[in-house]
């Protein structure tokens, strides 16, 4: 007698700001979302930040469900700025940031970046042997290879357990370090596309980075790369302008009529998660911004 395999777990990827916002309602929405995800046994995927709405959401979800309930996906270039301040010395934080941006620039040029690393006299990590396509063979106790290839959607995250452990797994959950911003977004989409029923994307309030992530999900779905919903969680009317922009773009002929349904706007956290759990609805129900 054959046995059916259980479906993969439900995961929701949340995009949000690393700032708290001026209204306490935004932080409250992040905490509330963590409780809703926990109550429904939904795993959280997020951008790996430790401050603002991102940090609040991750901390609360970990507090409720443990580190295994959260996965943060963060570009290497942002690791230094997102680590808790007492994890690394100022010298090491500067070095991590420098390495991250060098890797990003080389990746944009389509070049492979490899680092040879060794422990310095005082435990600081000293980097050497950086080249565009080859690696010099210097003496080192630890070797880490970064293989980011620019903005290709096929870039894959590069695990770095030593760095990830410094992101306080017991506080913020598990961490995957991606070689670039584009690789981060591609990995998030892949994780949600392969997850169980009710999985999808929710955007809390945020800035340019959040908007970039929303548009990446929408355009990739438009291209047929995945079939998951993108829900804007509207707190105090934050996404009303986005709803208006979509409507205006459709009316002016810059977005096809069917494109109107690629963005969903719901009032509050519960309604946003409910939408993902409920599957497809009529197009007239999809946006409810308070314009």
């Amino acid at each position: 007698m054959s046995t059916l395999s259980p479906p993969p777990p439900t995961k929701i990827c949340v995009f949000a700001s690393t700032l708290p916002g001026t209204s306490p309602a935004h932080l409250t929405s992040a905490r509330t979302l963590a409780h809703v995800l926990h109550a429904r046994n939904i795993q959280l995927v997020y951008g790996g930040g430790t401050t603002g709405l991102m940090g609040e959401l991750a901390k609360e979800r970990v507090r409720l469900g443990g580190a295994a309930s959260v996965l943060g996906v963060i570009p290497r270039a942002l690791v230094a700025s997102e680590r808790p301040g007492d994890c690394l010395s100022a010298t090491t934080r500067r070095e991590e940031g420098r390495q991250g941006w060098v890797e990003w620039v080389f990746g944009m040029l389509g070049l492979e970046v490899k680092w040879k690393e060794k422990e310095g006299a005082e435990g600081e990590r000293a980097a050497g042997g950086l080249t565009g396509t080859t690696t010099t063979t210097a003496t080192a106790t630890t070797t880490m290879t970064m293989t980011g290839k620019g903005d290709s959607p096929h870039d894959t995250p590069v695990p770095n357990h030593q760095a990830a452990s410094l992101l306080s797994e017991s506080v913020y959950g598990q961490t995957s370090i991606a070689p670039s911003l584009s690789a981060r977004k591609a990995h998030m989409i892949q994780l949600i596309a392969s997850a169980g029923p009710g999985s999808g994307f929710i955007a809390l309030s945020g800035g340019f980075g959040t908007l970039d992530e929303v548009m990446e999900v929408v355009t990739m779905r438009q291209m047929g790369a995945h079939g998951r919903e993108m829900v804007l969680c509207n707190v105090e009317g934050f996404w009303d302008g986005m709803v208006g922009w979509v409507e205006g773009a459709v009316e002016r002929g810059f977005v096809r009529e069917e494109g109107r349904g690629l963005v969903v706007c719901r009032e509050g956290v519960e309604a946003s998660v409910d939408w993902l759990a409920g599957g497809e609805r009529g197009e007239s129900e999809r946006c409810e911004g308070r314009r």
Side-chain angles (χ1 to χ4, degrees):
M1 182 176 65
S2 61
T3 58
L4 296 176
S5 300
T10 300
K11 300 178 183 178
I12 290 180
C13 180
V14 179
F15 304 131
S17 178
T18 55
L19 297 174
T22 56
S23 169
H26 299 291
L27 279 176
T28 298
S29 69
R31 296 187 197 103
T32 302
L33 179 54
H35 282 259
V36 172
L37 296 180
H38 176 67
R40 304 189 188 192
N41 195 30
I42 297 173
Q43 296 180 11
L44 168 66
V45 176
Y46 85 114
T50 60
T51 61
L53 304 190
M54 268 200 210
E56 198 68 22
L57 171 65
K59 285 189 293 185
E60 189 68 5
R61 183 68 184 93
V62 169
R63 186 185 71 81
L64 294 168
S69 66
V70 176
L71 175 64
V73 183
I74 187 169
R76 180 167 173 79
L78 297 182
V79 170
S81 62
E82 291 298 341
R83 290 177 180 174
D86 59 354
C87 284
L88 296 173
S89 71
T91 301
T92 305
R93 286 200 301 272
R94 286 195 299 270
E95 181 62 24
E96 291 287 348
R98 183 184 72 83
Q99 289 183 23
W101 287 114
V102 167
E103 287 157 4
W104 180 81
V105 171
F106 270 67
M108 291 292 288
L109 297 174
L111 300 176
E112 183 177 358
V113 179
K114 295 184 179 181
W115 296 95
K116 282 284 190 178
E117 298 187 334
K118 63 181 179 180
E119 292 294 332
E122 297 180 359
E124 292 286 351
R125 296 203 295 170
L130 168 66
T131 64
T133 56
T134 61
T135 304
T136 58
T137 55
T139 303
T141 56
T142 303
T143 301
M144 179 177 64
T145 303
M146 303 297 297
T147 55
K149 295 290 186 181
D151 284 337
S152 167
H154 303 295
D155 285 350
T156 55
V158 179
N160 183 334
H161 303 296
Q162 185 177 21
S165 65
L166 294 172
L167 282 163
S168 302
E169 183 174 301
S170 63
V171 180
Y172 300 105
Q174 300 173 341
T175 301
S176 175
I177 299 180
S180 66
L181 285 168
S182 59
R184 172 210 226 177
K185 291 180 286 187
H187 186 45
M188 286 174 157
I189 291 173
Q190 179 186 27
L191 287 169
I192 301 308
S194 61
S199 299
F201 302 88
I202 291 177
L204 296 177
S205 308
F208 295 128
T210 303
L211 186 58
D212 171 59
E213 291 163 333
V214 168
M215 287 304 185
E216 180 87 1
V217 168
V218 170
T219 53
M220 292 301 287
R221 185 180 182 196
Q222 188 176 39
M223 294 170 61
H226 69 92
R228 299 298 190 178
E229 297 266 14
M230 177 72 252
V231 181
L232 307 178
C233 180
N234 209 17
V235 177
E236 295 189 338
F238 181 83
W239 290 110
D240 289 354
M242 181 68 172
V243 174
W245 179 85
V246 172
E247 295 294 331
V250 171
E251 291 170 4
R252 290 167 174 80
F254 293 106
V255 173
R256 293 185 176 88
E257 183 64 35
E258 58 268 25
R260 194 192 306 268
L262 292 173
V263 181
V264 179
C265 187
R266 296 287 97 181
E267 296 292 329
V269 166
E270 289 273 4
S272 298
V273 178
D274 284 345
W275 180 276
L276 294 178
E280 297 290 336
R281 267 78 47 173
E283 294 300 312
S284 62
E285 299 178 56
R286 303 184 74 83
C287 287
E288 55 176 25
R290 302 177 301 175
R291 288 176 293 142

